[in-house]
Amino acid sequence: MKDLFEAIAWLFEKVLFLPHDILRELELSNWWLANVINWAFAIVIFSLLVYWTYQLKIFNDKGEENKDPSAHSFL
């Protein structure tokens, strides 16, 4: 049973965490390149926020939203 847990530990330490180890080493030489994943997530989230706001404006301009105070059961 001990061999099973050691195999799981080896899998995580040597294989699955390898990209994190590479990024950790890269951060010492180039901060921007090490954080490229964070920048990509920020760009995706920002673009989705802009899209969502645009869609809200479209529905607001069409007047399709029910703005009655009793439109929702929790109000």
Side-chain angles (χ1 to χ4, degrees):
M1 197 66 175
K2 181 180 176 185
D3 292 337
L4 174 68
F5 288 112
E6 287 179 356
I8 293 171
W10 177 86
L11 174 69
F12 276 91
E13 290 175 359
K14 303 294 182 191
V15 178
L16 297 178
F17 288 156
L18 184 63
H20 297 288
D21 292 337
I22 293 170
L23 287 174
R24 183 182 50 170
E25 294 294 325
L26 182 62
E27 191 218 354
L28 298 175
S29 62
N30 190 344
W31 182 86
W32 291 99
L33 191 58
N35 286 301
V36 73
I37 295 172
N38 295 330
W39 292 111
F41 282 138
I43 291 169
V44 167
I45 289 171
F46 179 73
S47 63
L48 291 175
L49 181 63
V50 169
Y51 174 76
W52 181 45
T53 307
Y54 179 70
Q55 290 296 319
L56 286 174
K57 184 180 179 328
I58 289 173
F59 282 104
N60 193 30
D61 291 344
K62 286 182 181 178
E64 294 180 0
E65 183 180 359
N66 188 357
K67 294 184 179 181
D68 184 24
S70 62
H72 301 287
S73 61
F74 58 86
L75 292 178

